Amino acid sequence: GYYITLFDKDSYNGDDDVTEIKTKTAITKETINTFEADTTTSSYEVTYMRNDDQLATDNMDGKVSYLSVTTSSTSSFFYRRVAMYEGGWGTQSLVCSIKASTSTYVDMGSDFGCANDEVSSMVLYNIPSGWYFFVSDADSHSYWRDDYGEVKMKRSVTKKIIPSFERETDADPDYLQYYLRNNGLNGKISRFQVSTSSKFNKLVAFYEGNSETQNLICSFLVTSPSFDVDFTTDGYGCTDDEARSMKLYNVNAGNYFILYDSSSGSTYDDFNEIYVQSTITHWYVVPTFQHWGVSSDNKLIQRLLYYDNLDGKVSRFRARTSSVMWNSNPTIILKEGNGGTQNRVCNSLSAAGNSGQWYTYKMNSIGHCTNDEARSMWLYNIRKNTVIEVFDDVDCRQSDDYYVFLARNFLPVWRVDSFETTFDGGIACKGTYFRNNGLDGKVSCVRVRPG
C-alpha cells in the first residue's frame, strides 16, 4: 500500500522522467533493477513516465533527484494523470503532464507548462470510465471552426496510450474516439479539457467538398428542437454558399434537418429535408444535398425540392421535430431540363383543392411561368388518386402531345424525368405519354384533379 515516487527533477511537477513504485504486499527486501521500465510482480508494480526517447542520456536511471512516499492512492503521482507527448504513440518529448479532474481546463501555452501546438498523443494513467477528454486546434471561443476531437472512456484503465488525435474509432474496448477534421490536429493542440459530458452529442459539421472532403466550414451542437442557423450572419463561422456535405454525430431517430439555398429559409429555392429514421450512433456522413430517397442503409430519408443546385449553395440550417414537406401543400415544380434539372419554369403550381375538381394552369396566362420550356417536374405531397395532365396545347386540349400522371398512393416526393416517356411505378404511380411530335420543352398547359 506504499507509493514511492522518484523524480528526475528536484520538484514534484512531473515535467521530466518520473517512476512510481507501488507495493502490493509487505516486503522484507526486494531489488528494483531499473527505474526505466513498467514492471509488475506479485509484490510490486513499477510505472515509468518517460521524458524523451530521442536522447539516450535523458532517462531516469542515475538521475533521481527527488523522492516522495505516500500511502494514499489518490495522492500518488499517477492517480488521474495525463501525460502529453510531442510524437505519436507517446513518443518523442514529454510536453507536459497533468493531474486531471472532471473540471480540468488547459489553455496550452499558458497553463501547467504545456506548450502550444506541440502535442500529438497522450498516455492516460488510472482514469475511470465515463470521462471525456476534449482537444482542439483553436481556443475556446472558436474551436468549432477548426480541428477538434474527443476521447470517451468506456471503462477504467490503469494505463492507456492514445496514439493520435486524428482518428475516429470504436474498435478499442477501452475508449471511443471522435475526430472532426479540418487540416490536421496532431502537433497543433491549443486546448485540452476533461469533463463527464460529450461535445459530440447531436453535433452537425459541414464540409466544403462532397463526402466529407476538403475543408471544414463550421460545426455546431443542435441545442433545441427548433435550432436555426443563418450562414450569412451566424456566430459559428459558417461560410455561405460553400457546404456540399455534412457529418452527423449521435442523433436520435425522429429528427428533421432542413438545408436551404435561401438564407431566409424560403421554399421558393432549393431545399433538402433530411429525416433521421434510424438513430445515428457515433457518426454518419451525408455525402451530398442533391439526393432524394432512402439511403442504402435505411438510416436517412432525403427529400429534395430542386430548382437549380444545393451543393455549394447552402445558406441556412434548421432543425425540426416534424416534416416541413409532409405538412406542406401538394406542389408541382416544372423544370427547364430533363431529370428535374436546370431552372424553374414556374415558382410552383398547387396540386391541392377539392377532390375530383379540375384546376387549369395556362403557362402564357401566369406571370411567373414561361411557356414552351418545361421538360420535367418534381412532385411533393401528392395525394392518392391525384391526376396531373401536361399539354402542348395552350387550352389543355388533347389535339396535340399530352402526358397523364396518376398517383396511386400518397407521394411525399416524386420526379418525372421526361413527359415523353410512359412508365408504370407499381403501387406508387404511373405516367402515360400520348405522342404527336414531342412534348419536352413545349409545355403550354397543365391540369390537376386532386385526389
Coordinates of all heavy atoms in Angstrom, one line a residue, residues 331-415:
T331 N -47.6 20.1 -54.2 CA -46.9 21.1 -55.0 C -46.4 20.4 -56.3 O -45.8 19.3 -56.2 CB -45.8 21.8 -54.2 OG1 -46.4 22.4 -53.1 CG2 -45.1 22.8 -55.1
I332 N -46.4 21.1 -57.4 CA -45.8 20.7 -58.7 C -44.7 21.8 -59.0 O -45.0 23.0 -59.0 CB -46.8 20.7 -59.8 CG1 -47.9 19.7 -59.5 CG2 -46.1 20.3 -61.1 CD1 -49.1 19.8 -60.4
I333 N -43.5 21.3 -59.3 CA -42.5 22.2 -59.7 C -42.0 21.8 -61.2 O -41.5 20.7 -61.4 CB -41.2 22.1 -58.8 CG1 -41.6 22.5 -57.4 CG2 -40.1 23.1 -59.3 CD1 -42.1 23.9 -57.2
L334 N -42.3 22.6 -62.1 CA -41.9 22.4 -63.5 C -40.4 22.8 -63.7 O -40.1 23.9 -63.3 CB -42.8 23.1 -64.5 CG -44.3 22.7 -64.5 CD1 -45.1 23.6 -65.4 CD2 -44.4 21.2 -64.9
K335 N -39.6 22.0 -64.4 CA -38.2 22.3 -64.6 C -37.9 22.4 -66.0 O -38.4 21.7 -66.9 CB -37.4 21.2 -63.9 CG -37.6 21.1 -62.4 CD -37.0 22.2 -61.6 CE -35.5 22.3 -61.7 NZ -35.0 23.3 -60.9
E336 N -36.9 23.2 -66.3 CA -36.5 23.5 -67.7 C -35.7 22.4 -68.3 O -35.8 22.2 -69.5 CB -35.6 24.8 -67.6 CG -35.1 25.3 -69.0 CD -34.2 26.5 -68.8 OE1 -33.8 26.8 -67.7 OE2 -33.8 27.1 -69.9
G337 N -35.0 21.6 -67.5 CA -34.2 20.5 -68.1 C -34.9 19.1 -67.8 O -35.7 19.0 -66.9
N338 N -34.4 18.1 -68.5 CA -34.9 16.7 -68.1 C -34.3 16.3 -66.8 O -33.2 16.8 -66.4 CB -34.5 15.8 -69.2 CG -35.3 16.0 -70.5 OD1 -34.8 16.3 -71.6 ND2 -36.6 15.8 -70.4
G339 N -34.9 15.3 -66.2 CA -34.4 14.8 -64.9 C -34.5 15.7 -63.7 O -33.8 15.6 -62.8
G340 N -35.5 16.7 -63.8 CA -35.7 17.6 -62.7 C -34.6 18.6 -62.6 O -34.3 19.1 -61.5
T341 N -33.9 19.0 -63.7 CA -32.7 19.9 -63.6 C -33.0 21.2 -64.2 O -34.1 21.5 -64.7 CB -31.5 19.2 -64.4 OG1 -31.9 19.1 -65.8 CG2 -31.2 17.9 -63.8
Q342 N -32.0 22.1 -64.1 CA -32.0 23.5 -64.6 C -33.0 24.3 -63.8 O -33.4 24.0 -62.7 CB -32.2 23.5 -66.1 CG -31.1 22.8 -66.9 CD -31.2 22.9 -68.4 OE1 -31.5 24.0 -68.9 NE2 -31.1 21.8 -69.1
N343 N -33.4 25.4 -64.5 CA -34.2 26.4 -63.7 C -35.7 26.0 -63.6 O -36.2 25.2 -64.4 CB -34.1 27.8 -64.5 CG -32.7 28.3 -64.4 OD1 -32.0 28.1 -63.4 ND2 -32.3 29.0 -65.5
R344 N -36.3 26.7 -62.7 CA -37.8 26.6 -62.6 C -38.5 27.2 -63.8 O -38.1 28.3 -64.2 CB -38.3 27.3 -61.3 CG -37.9 26.7 -60.0 CD -38.3 27.5 -58.9 NE -37.4 28.7 -58.8 CZ -37.7 29.8 -58.0 NH1 -38.8 29.8 -57.3 NH2 -36.9 30.8 -57.9
V345 N -39.5 26.6 -64.2 CA -40.4 27.2 -65.3 C -41.4 28.1 -64.6 O -41.8 29.2 -65.1 CB -41.0 26.2 -66.2 CG1 -42.0 26.8 -67.2 CG2 -39.9 25.4 -66.9
C346 N -41.9 27.7 -63.4 CA -42.9 28.4 -62.6 C -42.3 28.4 -61.2 O -41.6 27.5 -60.8 CB -44.3 27.8 -62.6 SG -45.1 27.8 -64.3
N347 N -42.8 29.4 -60.4 CA -42.4 29.3 -58.9 C -42.9 27.9 -58.4 O -42.1 27.2 -57.8 CB -43.1 30.4 -58.2 CG -42.4 31.7 -58.4 OD1 -41.2 31.7 -58.9 ND2 -43.0 32.8 -58.1
S348 N -44.2 27.7 -58.5 CA -44.8 26.4 -58.1 C -46.2 26.4 -58.6 O -46.8 27.5 -58.7 CB -44.7 26.1 -56.6 OG -45.4 27.0 -55.9
L349 N -46.8 25.2 -58.8 CA -48.2 25.1 -59.1 C -48.8 24.2 -58.0 O -48.3 23.2 -57.6 CB -48.4 24.4 -60.4 CG -47.8 25.1 -61.7 CD1 -48.0 24.3 -62.9 CD2 -48.3 26.5 -61.8
S350 N -50.0 24.6 -57.5 CA -50.6 23.8 -56.4 C -51.3 22.6 -57.0 O -52.0 22.7 -58.0 CB -51.6 24.7 -55.7 OG -52.3 24.0 -54.7
A351 N -51.2 21.5 -56.3 CA -51.9 20.3 -56.6 C -53.0 20.0 -55.5 O -53.5 18.9 -55.4 CB -51.0 19.1 -56.7
A352 N -53.3 21.1 -54.7 CA -54.3 21.0 -53.7 C -55.6 21.4 -54.3 O -55.7 21.8 -55.4 CB -53.9 21.9 -52.5
G353 N -56.7 21.3 -53.5 CA -58.0 21.7 -53.9 C -59.0 20.6 -53.6 O -58.8 19.6 -52.9
N354 N -60.2 20.8 -54.1 CA -61.3 19.9 -53.8 C -61.1 18.6 -54.6 O -60.8 18.6 -55.8 CB -62.7 20.5 -54.2 CG -63.0 21.7 -53.4 OD1 -62.7 21.8 -52.2 ND2 -63.6 22.7 -54.0
S355 N -61.3 17.5 -53.9 CA -61.1 16.2 -54.6 C -62.1 16.0 -55.7 O -63.3 16.3 -55.6 CB -61.4 15.1 -53.6 OG -61.3 13.8 -54.2
G356 N -61.5 15.6 -56.9 CA -62.3 15.4 -58.1 C -62.6 16.6 -58.9 O -63.1 16.5 -60.0
Q357 N -62.2 17.8 -58.5 CA -62.4 19.0 -59.3 C -61.1 19.3 -60.1 O -60.0 19.2 -59.6 CB -62.7 20.2 -58.4 CG -62.9 21.5 -59.1 CD -63.4 22.6 -58.1 OE1 -63.9 22.3 -57.1 NE2 -63.1 23.8 -58.5
W358 N -61.3 19.8 -61.3 CA -60.2 20.1 -62.2 C -59.7 21.5 -62.0 O -60.5 22.4 -61.9 CB -60.5 19.8 -63.7 CG -60.6 18.4 -64.1 CD1 -61.7 17.6 -64.2 CD2 -59.4 17.6 -64.4 NE1 -61.3 16.3 -64.6 CE2 -59.9 16.3 -64.7 CE3 -58.1 17.8 -64.4 CZ2 -59.1 15.2 -65.0 CZ3 -57.2 16.7 -64.7 CH2 -57.8 15.4 -65.0
Y359 N -58.4 21.7 -62.0 CA -57.8 23.1 -61.9 C -56.8 23.2 -63.1 O -56.0 22.3 -63.3 CB -57.0 23.2 -60.6 CG -57.9 23.1 -59.4 CD1 -58.2 21.9 -58.8 CD2 -58.5 24.3 -58.8 CE1 -59.1 21.8 -57.7 CE2 -59.3 24.2 -57.7 CZ -59.6 22.9 -57.2 OH -60.4 22.8 -56.1
T360 N -56.9 24.3 -63.8 CA -56.1 24.5 -65.0 C -55.1 25.6 -64.9 O -55.5 26.7 -64.3 CB -57.1 24.8 -66.2 OG1 -58.0 23.8 -66.4 CG2 -56.3 25.0 -67.5
Y361 N -53.9 25.4 -65.4 CA -52.8 26.4 -65.3 C -52.3 26.6 -66.8 O -51.7 25.7 -67.4 CB -51.7 25.9 -64.4 CG -52.1 25.7 -63.0 CD1 -52.3 24.4 -62.6 CD2 -52.2 26.7 -62.1 CE1 -52.7 24.1 -61.3 CE2 -52.5 26.5 -60.8 CZ -52.8 25.2 -60.4 OH -53.2 24.9 -59.1
K362 N -52.5 27.8 -67.3 CA -52.1 28.1 -68.7 C -50.8 28.9 -68.6 O -50.7 30.0 -67.9 CB -53.1 28.9 -69.4 CG -54.4 28.1 -69.7 CD -55.4 28.9 -70.5 CE -56.7 28.1 -70.7 NZ -57.7 28.8 -71.5
M363 N -49.7 28.4 -69.1 CA -48.4 29.0 -69.0 C -48.3 30.4 -69.4 O -47.7 31.3 -68.8 CB -47.3 28.2 -69.7 CG -47.2 26.7 -69.3 SD -46.6 26.5 -67.6 CE -48.1 26.1 -66.8
N364 N -49.0 30.7 -70.5 CA -48.9 32.1 -71.0 C -49.8 33.1 -70.3 O -49.9 34.3 -70.7 CB -49.2 32.2 -72.6 CG -50.5 31.6 -72.9 OD1 -51.3 31.3 -72.1 ND2 -50.7 31.4 -74.2
S365 N -50.6 32.6 -69.3 CA -51.5 33.4 -68.6 C -51.1 33.6 -67.1 O -51.7 34.3 -66.4 CB -52.9 32.8 -68.6 OG -53.4 32.7 -69.9
I366 N -50.0 33.0 -66.7 CA -49.5 33.1 -65.4 C -48.1 33.8 -65.4 O -47.2 33.4 -66.1 CB -49.3 31.7 -64.8 CG1 -50.6 30.9 -64.8 CG2 -48.7 31.8 -63.3 CD1 -50.5 29.5 -64.3
G367 N -48.1 34.9 -64.7 CA -46.9 35.8 -64.8 C -45.6 35.2 -64.4 O -44.5 35.5 -65.0
H368 N -45.6 34.2 -63.5 CA -44.3 33.6 -63.1 C -44.0 32.3 -63.8 O -43.0 31.6 -63.5 CB -44.3 33.3 -61.6 CG -45.4 32.4 -61.1 ND1 -45.4 31.0 -61.3 CD2 -46.6 32.6 -60.5 CE1 -46.5 30.4 -60.8 NE2 -47.2 31.4 -60.4
C369 N -44.7 32.0 -64.9 CA -44.5 30.8 -65.7 C -44.0 31.2 -67.1 O -44.4 32.2 -67.6 CB -45.8 30.0 -65.8 SG -46.3 29.3 -64.2
T370 N -43.2 30.3 -67.7 CA -42.7 30.5 -69.0 C -43.3 29.4 -69.9 O -43.2 28.2 -69.6 CB -41.2 30.5 -69.1 OG1 -40.6 31.4 -68.1 CG2 -40.7 30.8 -70.5
N371 N -43.8 29.8 -71.0 CA -44.4 28.9 -72.0 C -43.3 28.2 -72.8 O -42.3 28.7 -73.0 CB -45.4 29.6 -72.9 CG -46.2 28.7 -73.8 OD1 -46.7 27.7 -73.3 ND2 -46.4 29.0 -75.1
D372 N -43.6 26.9 -73.2 CA -42.8 26.1 -74.0 C -41.3 26.0 -73.5 O -40.3 26.2 -74.2 CB -42.7 26.7 -75.4 CG -44.0 26.5 -76.2 OD1 -44.8 25.7 -75.8 OD2 -44.1 27.2 -77.3
E373 N -41.3 25.6 -72.2 CA -39.9 25.5 -71.5 C -39.8 24.2 -70.8 O -38.8 23.6 -70.7 CB -39.7 26.6 -70.6 CG -39.3 28.0 -71.2 CD -37.9 28.0 -71.8 OE1 -37.1 27.1 -71.5 OE2 -37.7 28.8 -72.7
A374 N -40.9 23.7 -70.1 CA -40.8 22.6 -69.2 C -40.4 21.3 -69.9 O -41.0 21.0 -70.9 CB -42.0 22.5 -68.4
R375 N -39.5 20.5 -69.3 CA -39.2 19.2 -69.8 C -39.3 18.1 -68.7 O -39.2 16.9 -69.0 CB -37.7 19.2 -70.3 CG -37.5 20.0 -71.5 CD -36.0 20.0 -71.9 NE -35.9 20.7 -73.2 CZ -35.9 20.0 -74.4 NH1 -36.0 18.7 -74.4 NH2 -35.7 20.7 -75.5
S376 N -39.5 18.5 -67.4 CA -39.7 17.5 -66.4 C -40.4 18.2 -65.2 O -40.6 19.4 -65.2 CB -38.3 17.0 -65.9 OG -37.5 18.0 -65.5
M377 N -40.7 17.4 -64.1 CA -41.3 18.0 -63.0 C -41.0 17.3 -61.7 O -40.8 16.1 -61.7 CB -42.8 18.2 -63.2 CG -43.6 16.9 -63.3 SD -45.4 17.2 -63.5 CE -46.0 15.5 -63.7
W378 N -41.0 18.0 -60.6 CA -40.9 17.5 -59.3 C -42.3 17.6 -58.6 O -43.0 18.6 -58.7 CB -39.9 18.2 -58.4 CG -38.5 18.0 -58.7 CD1 -37.7 18.6 -59.6 CD2 -37.6 17.0 -58.1 NE1 -36.4 18.1 -59.6 CE2 -36.3 17.1 -58.7 CE3 -37.8 16.1 -57.1 CZ2 -35.3 16.3 -58.3 CZ3 -36.7 15.3 -56.7 CH2 -35.5 15.4 -57.3
L379 N -42.7 16.5 -57.9 CA -44.0 16.5 -57.2 C -43.7 16.3 -55.7 O -43.0 15.4 -55.3 CB -44.8 15.3 -57.8 CG -45.0 15.3 -59.3 CD1 -45.8 14.1 -59.7 CD2 -45.7 16.6 -59.8
Y380 N -44.5 17.0 -54.9 CA -44.3 16.9 -53.5 C -45.7 16.8 -52.8 O -46.6 17.6 -53.1 CB -43.6 18.2 -52.9 CG -42.2 18.3 -53.5 CD1 -42.0 19.0 -54.6 CD2 -41.2 17.6 -52.8 CE1 -40.7 19.1 -55.1 CE2 -39.9 17.7 -53.3 CZ -39.6 18.4 -54.5 OH -38.4 18.5 -55.0
N381 N -45.8 15.9 -51.9 CA -47.0 15.7 -51.0 C -48.3 15.5 -51.9 O -49.3 16.1 -51.6 CB -47.2 16.9 -50.1 CG -46.0 17.1 -49.2 OD1 -45.6 16.2 -48.4 ND2 -45.3 18.2 -49.3
I382 N -48.2 14.7 -52.9 CA -49.3 14.5 -53.8 C -50.2 13.5 -53.2 O -49.8 12.4 -52.9 CB -48.8 14.0 -55.2 CG1 -47.8 15.1 -55.8 CG2 -49.9 13.8 -56.2 CD1 -48.4 16.4 -56.0
R383 N -51.5 13.8 -53.2 CA -52.5 12.9 -52.6 C -52.8 11.7 -53.5 O -52.6 11.7 -54.7 CB -53.8 13.6 -52.4 CG -53.8 14.9 -51.5 CD -55.1 15.5 -51.6 NE -55.1 16.9 -51.0 CZ -56.1 17.8 -51.2 NH1 -57.1 17.4 -52.0 NH2 -56.0 19.0 -50.7
K384 N -53.2 10.6 -52.8 CA -53.6 9.4 -53.6 C -54.7 9.8 -54.5 O -55.6 10.5 -54.2 CB -54.1 8.4 -52.6 CG -54.5 7.1 -53.2 CD -54.9 6.1 -52.1 CE -55.4 4.8 -52.8 NZ -55.8 3.8 -51.7
N385 N -54.6 9.2 -55.7 CA -55.6 9.4 -56.8 C -55.6 10.7 -57.5 O -56.5 11.1 -58.3 CB -57.0 9.0 -56.4 CG -57.2 7.6 -56.0 OD1 -56.6 6.7 -56.6 ND2 -58.0 7.3 -54.9
T386 N -54.6 11.5 -57.2 CA -54.4 12.8 -57.9 C -54.0 12.5 -59.4 O -53.2 11.6 -59.6 CB -53.4 13.7 -57.2 OG1 -53.8 14.1 -56.0 CG2 -53.1 14.9 -58.1
V387 N -54.6 13.3 -60.3 CA -54.3 13.2 -61.7 C -53.6 14.5 -62.2 O -54.2 15.6 -61.9 CB -55.5 12.9 -62.6 CG1 -55.1 12.8 -64.1 CG2 -56.1 11.5 -62.2
I388 N -52.5 14.4 -62.8 CA -51.8 15.6 -63.4 C -51.7 15.4 -64.9 O -51.0 14.4 -65.3 CB -50.5 15.9 -62.7 CG1 -50.6 16.0 -61.2 CG2 -49.8 17.1 -63.3 CD1 -49.3 16.0 -60.4
E389 N -52.2 16.4 -65.7 CA -52.1 16.3 -67.1 C -51.3 17.4 -67.7 O -51.5 18.6 -67.2 CB -53.5 16.3 -67.8 CG -54.3 15.1 -67.4 CD -55.7 15.0 -68.0 OE1 -56.1 16.1 -68.5 OE2 -56.3 14.0 -68.0
V390 N -50.4 17.1 -68.6 CA -49.5 18.1 -69.1 C -49.7 18.2 -70.7 O -49.7 17.1 -71.3 CB -48.0 17.8 -68.8 CG1 -47.1 18.8 -69.4 CG2 -47.8 17.7 -67.3
F391 N -49.9 19.4 -71.2 CA -50.3 19.5 -72.6 C -49.4 20.4 -73.4 O -48.9 21.4 -72.9 CB -51.7 20.1 -72.7 CG -52.8 19.2 -72.1 CD1 -53.1 19.3 -70.8 CD2 -53.5 18.3 -72.9 CE1 -54.1 18.5 -70.2 CE2 -54.5 17.5 -72.3 CZ -54.8 17.6 -71.0
D392 N -49.3 20.1 -74.7 CA -48.6 21.1 -75.6 C -49.7 22.2 -76.0 O -49.3 23.3 -76.2 CB -48.2 20.3 -76.9 CG -47.4 21.1 -77.9 OD1 -47.4 22.4 -77.7 OD2 -46.8 20.6 -78.8
D393 N -50.9 21.8 -76.1 CA -52.0 22.8 -76.4 C -52.2 23.8 -75.3 O -52.2 23.5 -74.1 CB -53.3 22.0 -76.7 CG -54.4 22.9 -77.1 OD1 -54.4 23.2 -78.3 OD2 -55.2 23.3 -76.3
V394 N -52.4 25.1 -75.7 CA -52.5 26.1 -74.7 C -53.7 26.1 -73.9 O -53.8 26.7 -72.8 CB -52.4 27.5 -75.4 CG1 -51.0 27.7 -76.0 CG2 -53.5 27.7 -76.5
D395 N -54.7 25.4 -74.4 CA -56.0 25.2 -73.7 C -56.2 23.9 -73.1 O -57.4 23.5 -72.7 CB -57.2 25.6 -74.6 CG -57.2 27.0 -75.1 OD1 -57.0 27.9 -74.2 OD2 -57.3 27.3 -76.3
C396 N -55.2 23.1 -72.9 CA -55.2 21.8 -72.3 C -56.1 20.8 -73.1 O -56.9 20.0 -72.5 CB -55.7 21.9 -70.9 SG -54.4 22.5 -69.7
R397 N -56.1 20.9 -74.4 CA -56.8 20.0 -75.3 C -55.9 18.9 -75.7 O -54.7 19.0 -75.8 CB -57.4 20.7 -76.5 CG -58.5 21.8 -76.1 CD -59.0 22.6 -77.3 NE -57.9 23.3 -77.9 CZ -58.1 24.3 -78.7 NH1 -59.3 24.7 -79.1 NH2 -57.0 25.0 -79.2
Q398 N -56.5 17.7 -76.0 CA -55.8 16.5 -76.4 C -55.5 16.5 -77.9 O -55.3 15.4 -78.5 CB -56.6 15.3 -76.0 CG -56.7 15.2 -74.5 CD -57.6 14.0 -74.0 OE1 -58.1 13.3 -74.8 NE2 -57.7 13.8 -72.7
S399 N -55.5 17.6 -78.6 CA -55.3 17.7 -80.0 C -53.8 17.6 -80.4 O -53.5 17.5 -81.6 CB -55.9 19.0 -80.6 OG -55.4 20.1 -80.0
D400 N -53.0 17.7 -79.4 CA -51.5 17.6 -79.7 C -50.9 16.7 -78.6 O -51.7 16.1 -77.8 CB -50.9 19.0 -79.7 CG -49.6 19.1 -80.5 OD1 -49.0 18.1 -80.8 OD2 -49.3 20.2 -81.0
D401 N -49.6 16.7 -78.4 CA -49.0 15.8 -77.4 C -49.5 16.2 -76.0 O -49.7 17.3 -75.7 CB -47.5 16.0 -77.4 CG -46.8 15.6 -78.7 OD1 -46.9 16.4 -79.7 OD2 -46.1 14.6 -78.7
Y402 N -49.7 15.1 -75.2 CA -50.0 15.3 -73.8 C -49.6 14.2 -73.0 O -49.3 13.1 -73.5 CB -51.5 15.6 -73.6 CG -52.5 14.5 -73.9 CD1 -53.0 13.7 -72.9 CD2 -52.9 14.2 -75.2 CE1 -53.9 12.7 -73.1 CE2 -53.8 13.1 -75.5 CZ -54.3 12.4 -74.4 OH -55.2 11.4 -74.7
Y403 N -49.5 14.4 -71.7 CA -49.0 13.4 -70.7 C -49.9 13.3 -69.5 O -50.4 14.4 -69.0 CB -47.6 13.8 -70.3 CG -46.9 13.0 -69.2 CD1 -46.2 11.8 -69.6 CD2 -47.0 13.3 -67.9 CE1 -45.6 11.1 -68.6 CE2 -46.4 12.5 -66.9 CZ -45.6 11.4 -67.3 OH -45.0 10.6 -66.4
V404 N -50.2 12.1 -69.0 CA -51.1 11.9 -67.9 C -50.3 11.2 -66.8 O -49.8 10.1 -67.0 CB -52.3 11.1 -68.3 CG1 -53.3 10.9 -67.1 CG2 -53.1 11.8 -69.4
F405 N -50.3 11.8 -65.6 CA -49.7 11.2 -64.4 C -50.8 10.9 -63.4 O -51.6 11.7 -63.1 CB -48.7 12.1 -63.8 CG -48.0 11.6 -62.6 CD1 -46.8 10.9 -62.7 CD2 -48.5 11.9 -61.3 CE1 -46.2 10.5 -61.5 CE2 -47.9 11.4 -60.2 CZ -46.7 10.7 -60.3
L406 N -50.7 9.6 -62.8 CA -51.7 9.2 -61.8 C -50.9 8.8 -60.6 O -50.1 7.9 -60.6 CB -52.5 8.0 -62.3 CG -53.4 7.3 -61.2 CD1 -54.4 8.3 -60.7 CD2 -54.1 6.1 -61.8
A407 N -51.3 9.4 -59.4 CA -50.7 9.0 -58.1 C -51.6 7.9 -57.6 O -52.7 8.1 -57.2 CB -50.6 10.1 -57.2
R408 N -51.1 6.7 -57.5 CA -51.9 5.5 -57.0 C -51.9 5.5 -55.5 O -52.7 4.9 -54.8 CB -51.3 4.2 -57.5 CG -51.6 4.0 -59.0 CD -50.8 2.8 -59.5 NE -51.3 2.4 -60.8 CZ -50.5 1.8 -61.7 NH1 -49.3 1.5 -61.4 NH2 -51.0 1.4 -62.9
N409 N -50.9 6.2 -54.9 CA -50.8 6.3 -53.4 C -50.2 7.7 -53.1 O -49.8 8.4 -54.0 CB -49.9 5.2 -52.8 CG -50.7 3.9 -52.5 OD1 -51.6 3.9 -51.7 ND2 -50.4 2.9 -53.3
F410 N -50.2 8.1 -51.8 CA -49.6 9.3 -51.4 C -48.2 9.3 -51.8 O -47.4 8.4 -51.5 CB -49.8 9.5 -49.9 CG -49.1 10.7 -49.4 CD1 -49.5 12.0 -49.7 CD2 -47.9 10.6 -48.6 CE1 -48.9 13.1 -49.2 CE2 -47.2 11.7 -48.2 CZ -47.7 13.0 -48.5
L411 N -47.7 10.4 -52.4 CA -46.3 10.6 -52.8 C -45.7 11.8 -52.1 O -46.0 12.9 -52.4 CB -46.2 10.8 -54.3 CG -46.8 9.7 -55.2 CD1 -46.7 10.1 -56.7 CD2 -46.0 8.4 -55.0
P412 N -44.8 11.5 -51.1 CA -44.1 12.7 -50.5 C -43.2 13.4 -51.4 O -43.1 14.6 -51.4 CB -43.3 12.0 -49.3 CG -43.2 10.6 -49.7 CD -44.4 10.2 -50.5
V413 N -42.5 12.6 -52.3 CA -41.6 13.2 -53.3 C -41.6 12.2 -54.5 O -41.5 11.0 -54.4 CB -40.2 13.3 -52.8 CG1 -39.3 14.0 -53.9 CG2 -40.1 14.1 -51.6
W414 N -41.7 12.8 -55.7 CA -41.6 12.1 -57.0 C -41.0 13.0 -58.0 O -41.3 14.2 -58.1 CB -42.9 11.4 -57.4 CG -42.7 10.4 -58.5 CD1 -42.7 10.6 -59.8 CD2 -42.4 9.0 -58.2 NE1 -42.4 9.4 -60.5 CE2 -42.3 8.4 -59.5 CE3 -42.3 8.2 -57.1 CZ2 -42.0 7.0 -59.7 CZ3 -42.0 6.9 -57.3 CH2 -41.9 6.3 -58.5
R415 N -40.2 12.4 -58.9 CA -39.7 13.1 -60.0 C -40.1 12.5 -61.4 O -39.8 11.3 -61.5 CB -38.1 13.2 -59.9 CG -37.5 14.1 -60.9 CD -36.0 14.1 -60.8 NE -35.4 12.8 -61.1 CZ -34.2 12.4 -60.7 NH1 -33.5 13.1 -59.9 NH2 -33.7 11.2 -61.1

